Amino acid sequence: MLILVLGLILFFGPHCLKMLIPGTRAAFIEKRGEGPWKGMVALLSVAGIGLMIWGWISYRWQAPDLYMPPDWGVHAAAVLNFVGLVLLAVSGGPVGRIKAFVVHPMAFGVAAWGIGHLFANGDLASVLLFGAWSLYAIASVLASFLRGDPRPQFESSKSDIGGIVGALVIYLVLVYFLHGFLFASTPPVI
């Protein structure tokens, strides 16, 4: 569990600074430049994600169950994960109808992904991992609204169509090929 928690700290620590202590990030950038800040955050993020994955895969088989997921939880997870992928897919492109309506598609996509997994997994490792991602995503949206960030203005529906098609392809590849291989239903042999 320690590896998972360390990964969460390494990833979310730097990401939360802007929300919790906004002056720290600005002072660092003013003193050393934006490049070193981005490099440090990127390095910590990659290490954090690696440790989160390793820690979750290692710990989830020993982790106590905190709750029993409902029978329909897997179906809710499937829907929420597809919605999350669509939102992630449209977040980086031009502003389409989805992005203009949702405002923060990446954050809502991550929240949908995390909450979906919480419907299907009730063990402590999953609650730590997916709960942390969901909470961070929701907190980042709230912080953005409190800062008064502007709403994006609609540009083109092409990104909506591309996002939905791209998300569907990624979803099918994940569901039918990668998810079972990467995150099997049985403990890994170490």
Side-chain angles (χ1 to χ4, degrees):
M1 181 168 95
L2 183 61
I3 295 168
L4 173 59
V5 171
L6 181 60
L8 292 168
I9 292 168
L10 284 177
F11 183 86
F12 291 113
H15 284 85
C16 288
L17 284 177
K18 185 176 180 182
M19 286 186 282
L20 300 174
I21 316 168
T24 303
R25 178 180 179 270
F28 184 98
I29 290 172
E30 185 178 317
K31 187 174 182 179
R32 294 183 180 88
E34 193 170 20
W37 174 263
K38 286 184 175 182
M40 179 185 68
V41 171
L43 185 63
L44 291 172
S45 296
V46 168
I49 288 173
L51 290 173
M52 279 187 260
I53 293 169
W54 178 27
W56 181 76
I57 289 173
S58 301
Y59 179 58
R60 69 184 267 221
W61 305 108
Q62 310 153 28
D65 287 329
L66 299 179
Y67 60 89
M68 280 302 294
D71 293 337
W72 49 265
V74 181
H75 305 295
V79 171
L80 286 169
N81 282 296
F82 178 69
V83 168
L85 279 173
V86 169
L87 292 172
L88 287 171
V90 302
S91 69
V95 180
R97 301 243 180 252
I98 297 171
K99 192 173 186 176
F101 177 75
V102 176
V103 181
H104 301 284
M106 181 177 283
F108 281 114
V110 168
W113 168 80
I115 292 166
H117 279 82
L118 290 174
F119 278 125
N121 300 283
D123 60 276
L124 178 59
S126 296
V127 169
L128 286 172
L129 179 66
F130 302 118
W133 279 95
S134 300
L135 287 173
Y136 173 75
I138 293 165
S140 70
V141 169
L142 291 173
S144 173
F145 285 131
L146 292 173
R147 283 191 306 267
D149 292 351
R151 291 183 67 87
Q153 297 301 310
F154 173 75
E155 296 172 20
S156 167
S157 292
K158 289 180 182 177
S159 65
D160 293 336
I161 295 164
I164 292 169
V165 170
L168 182 60
V169 169
I170 292 168
Y171 182 80
L172 292 173
V173 169
L174 279 169
V175 169
Y176 291 105
F177 301 106
L178 291 178
H179 201 275
F181 173 72
L182 294 173
F183 311 108
S185 304
T186 56
V189 178
I190 299 175

